[in-house]
Amino acid sequence: MRRRGDYGSDYSGFTRGGSDRLTTIRLERRRWRGGDDRQVIGRYSQDYGAKHDFSSPITFGTIPCVSNLNVSERIRQAAEDGDVFAQFEVGVDFDLGTYGEQNFQKAAEYWAKAANQGHRSAEDNLLLQHVSGQVKTYQSEVVFTRFKNRAESGDRDAQNNLGLCFQFGYGTAQNYGEAAVWFRRSAEGGLATAQFNLGGLYYNGTGPKKDLAIAIEWYTRAAEQRHELALLQLGTIYQKGIGVEVNLERAAVLYLIAYKQGSVRAANHLGFMFRKGLGVAQDNSLAFQLYLESVNLPDTSCEIAQNLSYRGTANYWLGYMTENGLGTKRDLRAAKRWYVQGAACGQSNCIEAIARLSNAIPKRRTRKAVN
């Protein structure tokens, strides 16, 4: 699997204010904390038209974890010894911040080593780092030409990435029409990311004429392959009734499938659904737990910077629910801590809440020293 570029819609901040934003999709890796079973809240059926019981948890599989295996260290040593698969994997780890912090330059170095040994996914990632502005080893025209040569030979990933170059004017003049052409070639070849990207063009009317029916068709095809952003976008479409009738039960199912993959955003959406009782039985306790997961889950394939807005929103609602005793014990000091974390993620409502609670929380009494 490769890291691929995603073009979003007005959902989840991908194109706010009418301006396009580039999201480079990372490997669809599930990165869990520890070896605990992954709990998914709710039961769902493949029959999307059926009513669903979301009242009790169901467990999906176990991911083994041997504490003394030292997986990352072993793979990193193999990379230093020249193993191409290990070099690619270490690049992924630096890209995602597995070693403590993200280091795009280090990721580029390891992907360049793997690419020099013929690892095509490593080359894709390295070139996409240039498109997203993370590194600047090659001239933009060189990146464009590499994608173009591979795209013309039928490489689906390169076709999608060439579409991104045309969409954002990287190494060539910006041309939404050409972007749509290359997204379509890749999408018709079955690449879920290209299907999502093409759906975004039709959803926003950039390049092709705005057509929600066609957009939903492509989003659906991508969601059928469990593409995280497509699942979330389609869930939002059914939740809000954008071009379709409102179907809150289906929206909840789509969010659950994305949540099952460890999606930060899906946990946030589900928290909202349970808090409001939309498509599921209203349950503040479950909502609180989901918001809590939303701030604690490792980032998945979506761009980490964009997930900050979701973490900020989750921190706000954790603070609000703690402040008002909804789904958890009322605790003004704990609520303020949640608001502070949300403010650090750029959540403006948290800043107002901090000011409000600063006056409401009684000051702690200090003991006088005894001589």
Side-chain angles (χ1 to χ4, degrees):
M1 294 188 293
R2 310 176 184 184
R3 190 177 86 174
R4 309 180 179 100
D6 274 346
Y7 173 68
S9 63
D10 63 1
Y11 145 79
S12 69
F14 291 109
T15 57
R16 291 187 178 171
S19 62
D20 297 332
R21 290 190 60 189
L22 175 64
T23 303
T24 48
I25 200 76
R26 291 173 175 80
L27 283 182
E28 298 167 9
R29 292 164 55 85
R30 299 167 64 182
R31 310 182 77 80
W32 311 118
R33 298 177 186 270
D36 295 335
D37 291 353
R38 182 80 173 107
Q39 296 288 332
V40 176
I41 296 176
R43 295 191 179 95
Y44 63 88
S45 163
Q46 290 183 349
D47 176 12
Y48 290 163
K51 294 292 182 180
H52 308 287
D53 171 20
F54 296 95
S55 59
S56 57
I58 185 169
T59 302
F60 290 90
T62 303
I63 302 206
C65 177
V66 179
S67 59
N68 62 349
L69 188 56
N70 300 323
V71 175
S72 294
E73 290 80 357
R74 290 174 185 269
I75 293 176
R76 193 165 182 178
Q77 183 58 55
E80 299 301 331
D81 293 340
D83 185 89
V84 64
F85 290 100
Q87 290 169 345
F88 175 74
E89 191 67 14
V90 171
V92 171
D93 286 337
F94 275 117
D95 184 50
L96 294 177
T98 304
Y99 297 119
E101 63 177 303
Q102 284 180 295
N103 189 324
F104 297 130
Q105 190 59 49
K106 280 286 188 180
E109 291 173 10
Y110 280 95
W111 281 334
K113 292 177 181 179
N116 289 336
Q117 296 194 64
H119 197 296
R120 299 189 73 175
S121 294
E123 183 182 13
D124 277 350
N125 287 6
L126 182 61
L127 295 177
L128 278 173
Q129 280 190 307
H130 288 77
V131 179
S132 61
Q134 293 172 352
V135 295
K136 297 180 179 179
T137 306
Y138 306 132
Q139 294 293 324
S140 60
E141 293 78 11
V142 172
V143 175
F144 175 81
T145 300
R146 288 195 183 186
F147 278 142
K148 188 171 185 292
N149 291 339
R150 287 175 51 188
E152 289 175 344
S153 69
D155 186 308
R156 294 184 311 167
D157 297 292
Q159 290 169 347
N160 175 67
N161 296 334
L162 184 61
L164 288 173
C165 289
F166 277 114
Q167 179 191 339
F168 295 102
Y170 187 85
T172 187
Q174 188 177 52
N175 189 323
Y176 286 109
E178 279 295 306
V181 167
W182 288 103
F183 284 151
R184 183 178 297 277
R185 289 191 188 183
S186 180
E188 290 177 344
L191 187 67
T193 300
Q195 292 168 350
F196 175 81
N197 289 347
L198 184 58
L201 292 182
Y202 279 104
Y203 187 89
N204 291 294
T206 46
K209 183 179 178 181
K210 185 180 179 74
D211 191 321
L212 289 178
I214 296 177
I216 291 169
E217 177 185 346
W218 284 112
Y219 284 143
T220 300
R221 289 177 66 171
E224 287 170 350
Q225 298 191 61
R226 304 176 74 250
H227 187 281
E228 180 187 350
L229 299 183
L231 287 165
L232 297 176
Q233 175 68 2
L234 201 57
T236 300
I237 285 171
Y238 280 108
Q239 179 185 336
K240 297 182 178 180
I242 303 172
V244 296
E245 291 186 8
V246 171
N247 189 333
L248 296 177
E249 288 79 13
R250 176 170 290 187
V253 167
L254 292 166
Y255 294 149
L256 279 166
I257 296 171
Y259 172 77
K260 181 183 174 184
Q261 300 177 46
S263 171
V264 170
R265 302 174 182 216
N268 200 302
H269 280 294
L270 285 169
F272 177 81
M273 301 288 275
F274 277 100
R275 186 170 58 83
K276 292 288 190 178
L278 302 176
V280 296
Q282 196 274 342
D283 191 321
N284 281 327
S285 179
L286 283 179
F288 187 87
Q289 293 175 49
L290 284 159
Y291 284 132
L292 192 61
E293 279 213 346
S294 181
V295 299
N296 289 331
L297 281 171
D299 291 285
T300 52
S301 54
C302 303
E303 188 178 22
I304 291 176
Q306 293 183 351
N307 280 338
L308 281 178
S309 64
Y310 279 75
R311 296 188 192 281
T313 300
N315 274 292
Y316 172 77
W317 286 114
L318 286 167
Y320 178 86
M321 296 178 80
T322 304
E323 179 184 355
N324 293 281
L326 302 173
T328 188
K329 182 180 178 181
R330 187 171 187 265
D331 185 331
L332 296 185
R333 287 188 172 83
K336 185 178 179 180
R337 288 194 292 270
W338 287 121
Y339 289 140
V340 168
Q341 290 184 37
C345 294
Q347 230 292 338
S348 59
N349 290 336
C350 288
I351 298 174
E352 299 172 6
I354 292 169
R356 181 180 69 249
L357 283 187
S358 295
N359 298 323
I361 298 175
K363 294 182 179 180
R364 296 181 184 273
R365 294 182 179 179
T366 56
R367 293 184 179 181
K368 293 183 178 180
V370 178
N371 293 330

mmCIF file of all heavy atoms in Angstrom, residues 106-131:
data_model
loop_
_atom_site.group_PDB
_atom_site.id
_atom_site.type_symbol
_atom_site.label_atom_id
_atom_site.label_comp_id
_atom_site.label_asym_id
_atom_site.label_seq_id
_atom_site.Cartn_x
_atom_site.Cartn_y
_atom_site.Cartn_z
ATOM 1 N N LYS A 106 13.837 13.139 7.566
ATOM 2 C CA LYS A 106 14.316 11.782 7.815
ATOM 3 C C LYS A 106 13.504 10.765 7.016
ATOM 4 O O LYS A 106 14.046 9.800 6.470
ATOM 5 C CB LYS A 106 14.232 11.466 9.308
ATOM 6 C CG LYS A 106 15.360 12.028 10.144
ATOM 7 C CD LYS A 106 16.647 11.237 9.910
ATOM 8 C CE LYS A 106 17.732 11.661 10.872
ATOM 9 N NZ LYS A 106 18.997 10.891 10.642
ATOM 10 N N ALA A 107 12.189 10.988 6.969
ATOM 11 C CA ALA A 107 11.340 10.093 6.185
ATOM 12 C C ALA A 107 11.785 10.104 4.731
ATOM 13 O O ALA A 107 11.891 9.047 4.086
ATOM 14 C CB ALA A 107 9.883 10.531 6.292
ATOM 15 N N ALA A 108 12.073 11.292 4.218
ATOM 16 C CA ALA A 108 12.508 11.419 2.822
ATOM 17 C C ALA A 108 13.824 10.684 2.590
ATOM 18 O O ALA A 108 14.021 10.041 1.548
ATOM 19 C CB ALA A 108 12.657 12.895 2.459
ATOM 20 N N GLU A 109 14.728 10.759 3.553
ATOM 21 C CA GLU A 109 16.027 10.094 3.389
ATOM 22 C C GLU A 109 15.863 8.580 3.265
ATOM 23 O O GLU A 109 16.491 7.942 2.407
ATOM 24 C CB GLU A 109 16.924 10.426 4.585
ATOM 25 C CG GLU A 109 17.375 11.886 4.625
ATOM 26 C CD GLU A 109 18.122 12.229 5.900
ATOM 27 O OE1 GLU A 109 18.448 11.277 6.665
ATOM 28 O OE2 GLU A 109 18.376 13.424 6.148
ATOM 29 N N TYR A 110 15.017 8.006 4.118
ATOM 30 C CA TYR A 110 14.832 6.548 4.066
ATOM 31 C C TYR A 110 14.034 6.142 2.834
ATOM 32 O O TYR A 110 14.315 5.106 2.216
ATOM 33 C CB TYR A 110 14.153 6.053 5.339
ATOM 34 C CG TYR A 110 15.126 5.913 6.487
ATOM 35 C CD1 TYR A 110 15.294 6.928 7.417
ATOM 36 C CD2 TYR A 110 15.915 4.765 6.616
ATOM 37 C CE1 TYR A 110 16.199 6.810 8.466
ATOM 38 C CE2 TYR A 110 16.825 4.632 7.661
ATOM 39 C CZ TYR A 110 16.967 5.658 8.579
ATOM 40 O OH TYR A 110 17.882 5.528 9.607
ATOM 41 N N TRP A 111 13.045 6.956 2.447
ATOM 42 C CA TRP A 111 12.298 6.621 1.231
ATOM 43 C C TRP A 111 13.174 6.747 -0.010
ATOM 44 O O TRP A 111 13.027 5.980 -0.957
ATOM 45 C CB TRP A 111 11.067 7.520 1.125
ATOM 46 C CG TRP A 111 9.952 7.058 2.021
ATOM 47 C CD1 TRP A 111 9.726 5.788 2.473
ATOM 48 C CD2 TRP A 111 8.910 7.853 2.572
ATOM 49 N NE1 TRP A 111 8.607 5.740 3.271
ATOM 50 C CE2 TRP A 111 8.084 6.993 3.352
ATOM 51 C CE3 TRP A 111 8.579 9.206 2.502
ATOM 52 C CZ2 TRP A 111 6.954 7.452 4.033
ATOM 53 C CZ3 TRP A 111 7.460 9.660 3.182
ATOM 54 C CH2 TRP A 111 6.654 8.789 3.938
ATOM 55 N N ALA A 112 14.104 7.700 0.019
ATOM 56 C CA ALA A 112 15.018 7.845 -1.118
ATOM 57 C C ALA A 112 15.919 6.608 -1.243
ATOM 58 O O ALA A 112 16.171 6.119 -2.354
ATOM 59 C CB ALA A 112 15.871 9.100 -0.941
ATOM 60 N N LYS A 113 16.364 6.092 -0.093
ATOM 61 C CA LYS A 113 17.183 4.866 -0.127
ATOM 62 C C LYS A 113 16.391 3.699 -0.706
ATOM 63 O O LYS A 113 16.893 2.926 -1.530
ATOM 64 C CB LYS A 113 17.656 4.517 1.292
ATOM 65 C CG LYS A 113 18.658 5.496 1.889
ATOM 66 C CD LYS A 113 19.012 5.107 3.328
ATOM 67 C CE LYS A 113 19.983 6.094 3.949
ATOM 68 N NZ LYS A 113 20.321 5.736 5.351
ATOM 69 N N ALA A 114 15.133 3.561 -0.267
ATOM 70 C CA ALA A 114 14.305 2.467 -0.774
ATOM 71 C C ALA A 114 13.973 2.669 -2.250
ATOM 72 O O ALA A 114 13.971 1.710 -3.031
ATOM 73 C CB ALA A 114 13.020 2.369 0.051
ATOM 74 N N ALA A 115 13.697 3.923 -2.634
ATOM 75 C CA ALA A 115 13.371 4.220 -4.032
ATOM 76 C C ALA A 115 14.552 3.886 -4.943
ATOM 77 O O ALA A 115 14.370 3.394 -6.064
ATOM 78 C CB ALA A 115 12.983 5.682 -4.180
ATOM 79 N N ASN A 116 15.755 4.147 -4.463
ATOM 80 C CA ASN A 116 16.947 3.839 -5.255
ATOM 81 C C ASN A 116 17.132 2.342 -5.472
ATOM 82 O O ASN A 116 17.852 1.921 -6.378
ATOM 83 C CB ASN A 116 18.191 4.418 -4.575
ATOM 84 C CG ASN A 116 18.245 5.926 -4.664
ATOM 85 O OD1 ASN A 116 17.642 6.529 -5.564
ATOM 86 N ND2 ASN A 116 18.947 6.559 -3.741
ATOM 87 N N GLN A 117 16.456 1.547 -4.628
ATOM 88 C CA GLN A 117 16.491 0.091 -4.804
ATOM 89 C C GLN A 117 15.252 -0.416 -5.554
ATOM 90 O O GLN A 117 15.022 -1.620 -5.622
ATOM 91 C CB GLN A 117 16.583 -0.607 -3.445
ATOM 92 C CG GLN A 117 17.871 -0.314 -2.678
ATOM 93 C CD GLN A 117 18.058 -1.282 -1.528
ATOM 94 O OE1 GLN A 117 18.211 -2.498 -1.736
ATOM 95 N NE2 GLN A 117 18.050 -0.758 -0.304
ATOM 96 N N GLY A 118 14.474 0.535 -6.098
ATOM 97 C CA GLY A 118 13.334 0.144 -6.930
ATOM 98 C C GLY A 118 12.012 0.028 -6.201
ATOM 99 O O GLY A 118 11.041 -0.479 -6.772
ATOM 100 N N HIS A 119 11.905 0.483 -4.952
ATOM 101 C CA HIS A 119 10.658 0.410 -4.198
ATOM 102 C C HIS A 119 9.737 1.538 -4.675
ATOM 103 O O HIS A 119 9.941 2.698 -4.354
ATOM 104 C CB HIS A 119 10.949 0.551 -2.698
ATOM 105 C CG HIS A 119 9.832 0.103 -1.806
ATOM 106 N ND1 HIS A 119 8.614 0.724 -1.779
ATOM 107 C CD2 HIS A 119 9.760 -0.913 -0.898
ATOM 108 C CE1 HIS A 119 7.833 0.124 -0.895
ATOM 109 N NE2 HIS A 119 8.512 -0.876 -0.349
ATOM 110 N N ARG A 120 8.684 1.203 -5.430
ATOM 111 C CA ARG A 120 7.857 2.218 -6.077
ATOM 112 C C ARG A 120 6.993 2.986 -5.071
ATOM 113 O O ARG A 120 6.729 4.175 -5.265
ATOM 114 C CB ARG A 120 6.995 1.573 -7.155
ATOM 115 C CG ARG A 120 7.833 0.906 -8.244
ATOM 116 C CD ARG A 120 7.000 0.464 -9.412
ATOM 117 N NE ARG A 120 6.558 1.592 -10.203
ATOM 118 C CZ ARG A 120 5.881 1.469 -11.349
ATOM 119 N NH1 ARG A 120 5.577 0.270 -11.805
ATOM 120 N NH2 ARG A 120 5.506 2.528 -12.022
ATOM 121 N N SER A 121 6.538 2.321 -4.028
ATOM 122 C CA SER A 121 5.758 3.035 -3.016
ATOM 123 C C SER A 121 6.612 4.091 -2.325
ATOM 124 O O SER A 121 6.129 5.169 -1.991
ATOM 125 C CB SER A 121 5.214 2.056 -1.976
ATOM 126 O OG SER A 121 4.272 1.180 -2.544
ATOM 127 N N ALA A 122 7.884 3.774 -2.103
ATOM 128 C CA ALA A 122 8.792 4.746 -1.497
ATOM 129 C C ALA A 122 8.963 5.948 -2.414
ATOM 130 O O ALA A 122 8.980 7.100 -1.956
ATOM 131 C CB ALA A 122 10.140 4.095 -1.203
ATOM 132 N N GLU A 123 9.086 5.688 -3.725
ATOM 133 C CA GLU A 123 9.208 6.797 -4.673
ATOM 134 C C GLU A 123 7.946 7.649 -4.663
ATOM 135 O O GLU A 123 8.011 8.887 -4.694
ATOM 136 C CB GLU A 123 9.481 6.278 -6.087
ATOM 137 C CG GLU A 123 9.688 7.415 -7.086
ATOM 138 C CD GLU A 123 9.910 6.914 -8.505
ATOM 139 O OE1 GLU A 123 9.669 5.718 -8.758
ATOM 140 O OE2 GLU A 123 10.306 7.726 -9.355
ATOM 141 N N ASP A 124 6.769 7.010 -4.625
ATOM 142 C CA ASP A 124 5.500 7.745 -4.562
ATOM 143 C C ASP A 124 5.487 8.686 -3.356
ATOM 144 O O ASP A 124 5.149 9.861 -3.461
ATOM 145 C CB ASP A 124 4.320 6.770 -4.437
ATOM 146 C CG ASP A 124 3.887 6.223 -5.776
ATOM 147 O OD1 ASP A 124 4.354 6.734 -6.801
ATOM 148 O OD2 ASP A 124 3.089 5.273 -5.797
ATOM 149 N N ASN A 125 5.831 8.139 -2.200
ATOM 150 C CA ASN A 125 5.809 8.945 -0.979
ATOM 151 C C ASN A 125 6.790 10.107 -1.044
ATOM 152 O O ASN A 125 6.490 11.221 -0.619
ATOM 153 C CB ASN A 125 6.128 8.068 0.229
ATOM 154 C CG ASN A 125 4.984 7.137 0.590
ATOM 155 O OD1 ASN A 125 3.986 7.060 -0.124
ATOM 156 N ND2 ASN A 125 5.133 6.429 1.677
ATOM 157 N N LEU A 126 7.964 9.828 -1.574
ATOM 158 C CA LEU A 126 8.997 10.854 -1.684
ATOM 159 C C LEU A 126 8.524 11.991 -2.596
ATOM 160 O O LEU A 126 8.673 13.171 -2.270
ATOM 161 C CB LEU A 126 10.285 10.235 -2.226
ATOM 162 C CG LEU A 126 11.495 11.163 -2.367
ATOM 163 C CD1 LEU A 126 11.892 11.740 -1.012
ATOM 164 C CD2 LEU A 126 12.665 10.400 -2.983
ATOM 165 N N LEU A 127 7.928 11.634 -3.727
ATOM 166 C CA LEU A 127 7.445 12.650 -4.663
ATOM 167 C C LEU A 127 6.277 13.432 -4.070
ATOM 168 O O LEU A 127 6.180 14.650 -4.234
ATOM 169 C CB LEU A 127 7.044 12.001 -5.990
ATOM 170 C CG LEU A 127 8.184 11.339 -6.789
ATOM 171 C CD1 LEU A 127 7.651 10.677 -8.049
ATOM 172 C CD2 LEU A 127 9.263 12.366 -7.144
ATOM 173 N N LEU A 128 5.386 12.724 -3.347
ATOM 174 C CA LEU A 128 4.241 13.405 -2.739
ATOM 175 C C LEU A 128 4.673 14.362 -1.627
ATOM 176 O O LEU A 128 4.012 15.370 -1.375
ATOM 177 C CB LEU A 128 3.255 12.384 -2.179
ATOM 178 C CG LEU A 128 2.290 11.781 -3.199
ATOM 179 C CD1 LEU A 128 1.477 10.667 -2.580
ATOM 180 C CD2 LEU A 128 1.369 12.846 -3.769
ATOM 181 N N GLN A 129 5.790 14.053 -0.985
ATOM 182 C CA GLN A 129 6.312 14.991 0.005
ATOM 183 C C GLN A 129 6.640 16.335 -0.644
ATOM 184 O O GLN A 129 6.467 17.381 -0.034
ATOM 185 C CB GLN A 129 7.576 14.419 0.657
ATOM 186 C CG GLN A 129 7.313 13.396 1.746
ATOM 187 C CD GLN A 129 8.594 13.075 2.491
ATOM 188 O OE1 GLN A 129 9.609 12.726 1.896
ATOM 189 N NE2 GLN A 129 8.562 13.212 3.803
ATOM 190 N N HIS A 130 7.089 16.290 -1.868
ATOM 191 C CA HIS A 130 7.392 17.528 -2.588
ATOM 192 C C HIS A 130 6.112 18.276 -2.927
ATOM 193 O O HIS A 130 6.030 19.502 -2.778
ATOM 194 C CB HIS A 130 8.187 17.222 -3.864
ATOM 195 C CG HIS A 130 9.598 16.793 -3.611
ATOM 196 N ND1 HIS A 130 9.927 15.528 -3.170
ATOM 197 C CD2 HIS A 130 10.778 17.469 -3.729
ATOM 198 C CE1 HIS A 130 11.249 15.434 -3.030
ATOM 199 N NE2 HIS A 130 11.777 16.597 -3.362
ATOM 200 N N VAL A 131 5.092 17.549 -3.379
ATOM 201 C CA VAL A 131 3.827 18.189 -3.742
ATOM 202 C C VAL A 131 3.217 18.877 -2.523
ATOM 203 O O VAL A 131 2.638 19.963 -2.629
ATOM 204 C CB VAL A 131 2.841 17.151 -4.329
ATOM 205 C CG1 VAL A 131 1.517 17.820 -4.680
ATOM 206 C CG2 VAL A 131 3.434 16.491 -5.572
#
